Amino acid sequence: MRTIGLIGGLSWESTVIYYQVINQRVRERLGGSHSANSLIWSVDYTTVEDLIFAGRWDEVGTMLAEAGEKLEAQGAEMLMICSNTFNRVAEEVERVANVPFLHIADAVGAEVDNRGMRKVGLLGTRFTMEEPFYRDRLAAHGFEVIIPGRAQREQVHDVIFDELVRGVFRDSSKDAYVEIIAQLADQGAEGVILGCTEIELLVTDKDAPIPVLPSARLHAEAAAEFALTG
């Protein structure tokens, strides 16, 4: 079994999902009381949040690349960034890595392909929904990605940073998200990517009118599979 190196704390609320799902999947595969060999480097979220809102992505890239190097030095045999937004600096981490790197958009894209969906919605931070680093990576898998209108994008973004990363989960925000998902369904989306790892703490399949694709869970499951089988 490969040792998984997780660059987390982005936020720690969703890093918990990764640790839980990875270990659950390993136990399912190996049975008994097995768990994953893993290392977590958890950053101070306020530090990186301040940097991204100041547009200082180069410093974020340096910080996460250094985290990857530290994990590798401690024995990590694969790396992943436990976030959608922060995979914006995935190339910086990959550039210094000597071990495989698992990009979250590839894990999500593989699941969309497996389900045979040709058009999906995407919710996430403004960075994830509007910038090409994530949407282009998804599009390379051969399906169409649509996003909400500007006002809805701002609402989704604000709930993430004002509530979800702080462990606040409001029914009113869930209702707003479900309404936005319904609007994407009306535009032909066959499913919706929860493209911020914290969103799946708020919205599940039972809430939404179309299937949801929980990015953190899918990324974690892909990591466990790769650690076990390569």
Side-chain angles (χ1 to χ4, degrees):
M1 186 194 317
R2 288 179 172 86
T3 298
I4 303 171
L6 301 102
I7 302 172
L10 303 164
S11 66
W12 72 259
E13 299 283 347
S14 63
T15 304
V16 172
I17 299 174
Y18 277 85
Y19 187 72
Q20 181 179 46
V21 171
I22 286 171
N23 283 293
Q24 286 174 338
R25 178 52 61 93
V26 169
R27 185 169 60 191
E28 289 169 5
R29 285 288 304 274
L30 300 182
S33 56
H34 281 286
S35 58
N37 294 328
S38 62
L39 298 163
I40 300 175
W41 187 273
S42 188
V43 305
D44 177 2
Y45 188 68
T46 293
T47 302
V48 291
E49 185 180 59
D50 289 346
L51 288 173
I52 65 174
F53 280 107
R56 294 158 61 184
W57 283 100
D58 56 338
E59 294 178 51
V60 175
T62 298
M63 184 183 300
L64 299 194
E66 289 176 352
E69 288 180 312
K70 290 171 183 175
L71 287 168
E72 193 174 333
Q74 293 298 316
E77 297 170 280
M78 53 184 289
L79 296 173
M80 60 198 302
I81 298 172
C82 302
S83 163
N84 290 275
T85 297
F86 288 92
N87 268 266
R88 189 182 190 275
V89 298
E91 290 184 1
E92 285 88 331
V93 177
E94 288 184 276
R95 190 175 301 122
V96 301
N98 297 301
V99 296
F101 178 86
L102 273 63
H103 196 293
I104 192 168
D106 291 335
V108 174
E111 179 66 12
V112 175
D113 287 341
N114 288 340
R115 297 195 189 198
M117 295 176 177
R118 295 294 90 200
K119 187 175 185 179
V120 296
L122 171 63
L123 301 182
T125 66
R126 183 170 64 246
F127 310 105
T128 299
M129 290 187 288
E130 296 179 359
E131 296 186 23
F133 75 94
Y134 194 84
R135 293 172 62 185
D136 286 358
R137 189 102 179 195
L138 290 173
H141 287 265
F143 52 83
E144 182 181 357
V145 180
I146 61 173
I147 59 175
R150 179 174 296 277
Q152 290 78 17
R153 295 199 301 272
E154 288 300 318
Q155 185 175 24
V156 171
H157 177 90
D158 289 345
V159 167
I160 291 167
F161 285 105
D162 294 342
E163 300 174 24
L164 303 187
V165 300
R166 301 179 183 183
V168 177
F169 307 100
R170 297 190 173 119
D171 288 340
S172 58
S173 296
K174 177 189 286 190
D175 292 343
Y177 272 46
V178 170
E179 176 58 31
I180 292 169
I181 292 171
Q183 293 171 12
L184 293 170
D186 289 342
Q187 296 174 50
E190 301 167 77
V192 61
I193 297 167
L194 305 184
C196 172
T197 50
E198 289 83 10
I199 296 177
E200 58 204 82
L201 296 168
L202 183 70
V203 178
T204 66
D205 252 328
K206 67 181 182 181
D207 303 309
I210 52 178
V212 301
L213 297 139
S215 57
R217 174 169 290 275
L218 294 171
H219 198 199
E221 289 176 348
E225 187 68 20
F226 188 85
L228 290 168
T229 67

